[in-house]
Amino acid sequence: MALIALGVTGGIGAYKAIEVCRGLQKQGHDVVVVMTRSAARFVGPVTFEAISRRPVITSQWKRGMNADIEHVAVADAIALLLVAPCTANMIGKFANGIADDFLSSLYLATRAPVLVAPAMNSNMLAHEAVQRNLQTLTARGVRFVEPGEGYLACGWIGKGRLAEPVDIVAAAQRMLSPSQSSLAGRHVLVTAGPTYEDIDPVRYIGNRSSGRMGFALAAEARRRGARVTLVAGPTRLEAPAVDELVRVRSAAEMHAAVMGLAARADVVVMAAAVADYTPVEPAAGKMAKTEAALALRLDRTPDILAELGRLPSRAAAGRPILVGFAAETADVVAKAREKRARKGVDLMVANDVSRADAGFDVTTNAVTIIGATGERELPVQAKEQVAAAILDQIEQLVGTHAGTPLPA
Ligand code: CTP
């Protein structure tokens, strides 16, 4: 179906790349294997040659390799560059444009999408240098298959182990044909950003939400083939390309927009930080100061998510799949569990906003995704990666309900 370049770098997980190669072939793909010099110390190129039934590229200096500038020829021919396992070293080369071997040159030369399955020791993975490189690549559109947790070859127990071959093959498959995503053709409604509650024509009550998390979710849902409507509060960030963009300012406007659109949505993700209170009546003209203290009377705003949660149940196809965010500063997961139950939603994403590297107005996030049957904790990572993980969970819910008639 497609020609895939499988890059194998020098990690102990290199042996798992054999299974990845076979998995890709089982999906009908043709695989050209590119091994770094250190990868060849872990697994013999002959093994890959026998399995891929193609010559394995191990060096750009091999005789014959430059007759048709092989790394450019391969770069043009492939539909996907998949690197599994990918070492910290190769991630660093990709991020910084270093092209000192065949694989790193291929990364620069290809216009095909790139999927990377990192594998390394936990401390290396957590290192600022590696994290920065991962962020650079994420921002460039490189996708990742998250490393797993467990026994590492170095004797540690921790995160860094190469993801399971089946998961790597599934991720590759999704990248090659987004229509295989259970979100393809589905309508996803995402809210993002803060709301502003006007006090008078020049002042408002707002919050620190930048809209980044919601924008990342909207972009990722669209990449998976969904039809995306984005309802965005006031934010300076540029909104991603979506099918429909609705700009709102206040909680009341967001409420009206979402309730109007939700009936035809399959999934609603409320990533917006909606104000819980709004001035009872904004002053028509600018309020002048006096010597006296000022008390503002605030009314409750409608809780959009809770209102959606009260719609007839999803099993009866009466309402979309609902995803909420719980921004908390203490007892984060416990409070989010309670909120999930109280608001009647399918997934609640717990977000510790007291951390400097997570939550409002930063590019990274660390969350726990809470569902009816389980929870998934995601360490701090780029919001784009968090968005992909949340959508993976949503896809599972959509998948189990494939075929249910959509709400009218
Ligand atoms: N939300 C909403 N409408 C509101 C307030 C919040 O739809 N008026 C949604 C948010 O978009 C988010 C979720 O509800 O997905 C949780 O928001 P949060 O403010 O943490 O919930 P509250 O119930 O307002 O929490 P608390 O009672 O702790 O203030």
Side-chain angles (χ1 to χ4, degrees), residues 12 16 148-162:
I12 189 71
K16 288 194 194 170
E149 258 177 80
Y151 284 98
L152 302 179
C154 53
W156 280 57
I157 299 174
K159 193 176 160 87
R161 199 171 68 168
L162 182 67

Side-chain angles (χ1 to χ4, degrees), residues 74-88:
V74 174
D76 285 343
I78 56 174
L80 176 72
L81 169 59
L82 163 63
V83 187
C86 193
T87 56

Side-chain angles (χ1 to χ4, degrees), residues 270-272 274-276 301-305 324-328 339 342-343 348:
M270 287 290 305
V274 189
D276 288 323
T301 57
D303 189 323
I304 307 167
L305 190 58
F325 275 72
E328 306 289 351
K339 229 171 242 186
R342 176 162 46 88
K343 297 203 183 197
M348 189 57 98

Side-chain angles (χ1 to χ4, degrees), residues 186-364:
R186 302 284 181 147
H187 185 197
V188 176
L189 171 61
V190 180
T191 66
T195 64
Y196 286 176
E197 309 303 318
D198 288 334
I199 299 171
D200 70 12
V202 295
R203 304 175 181 96
Y204 59 82
I205 301 172
N207 62 64
R208 290 176 48 200
S209 167
S210 65
R212 245 188 214 102
M213 193 63 242
F215 286 1
L217 283 156
E220 180 65 20
R222 191 137 191 273
R223 212 187 55 71
R224 296 182 186 209
R227 202 155 43 78
V228 176
T229 299
L230 177 60
V231 177
T235 150
R236 267 189 223 101
L237 290 184
E238 204 180 317
V242 288
D243 298 282
E244 188 182 10
L245 175 63
V246 182
R247 290 278 185 189
V248 297
R249 179 173 172 83
S250 62
E253 283 179 19
M254 186 168 280
H255 175 253
V258 171
M259 296 318 290
L261 290 160
R264 54 184 168 90
D266 299 296
V267 180
V268 177
V269 185
M270 287 290 305
V274 189
D276 288 323
Y277 295 94
T278 190
V280 169
E281 200 167 329
K286 184 188 161 204
M287 288 163 62
K289 64 176 167 300
T290 66
E291 288 312 311
L294 173 70
L296 277 178
R297 240 186 99 69
L298 303 175
D299 261 345
R300 274 298 309 271
T301 57
D303 189 323
I304 307 167
L305 190 58
E307 200 169 318
L308 292 171
R310 286 193 293 271
L311 293 174
S313 82
R314 183 158 65 87
R319 68 162 172 84
I321 289 168
L322 299 178
V323 184
F325 275 72
E328 306 289 351
T329 51
D331 299 330
V332 179
V333 172
K335 282 191 182 157
R337 279 186 201 129
E338 182 275 322
K339 229 171 242 186
R340 194 190 83 82
R342 176 162 46 88
K343 297 203 183 197
V345 304
D346 300 289
L347 295 176
M348 189 57 98
V349 183
N351 209 177
D352 183 351
V353 289
S354 66
R355 296 171 55 140
D357 57 0
F360 293 136
D361 215 8
V362 289
T363 56
T364 50

Side-chain angles (χ1 to χ4, degrees), residues 47-89:
T47 309
F48 282 107
E49 195 167 294
I51 286 171
S52 69
R53 289 180 232 105
R54 277 176 168 271
V56 171
I57 302 172
T58 49
S59 159
Q60 65 203 115
W61 305 120
K62 240 185 165 163
R63 293 255 311 275
M65 200 46 76
N66 292 293
D68 58 354
I69 317 289
E70 187 82 356
H71 66 263
V72 177
V74 174
D76 285 343
I78 56 174
L80 176 72
L81 169 59
L82 163 63
V83 187
C86 193
T87 56
N89 183 45

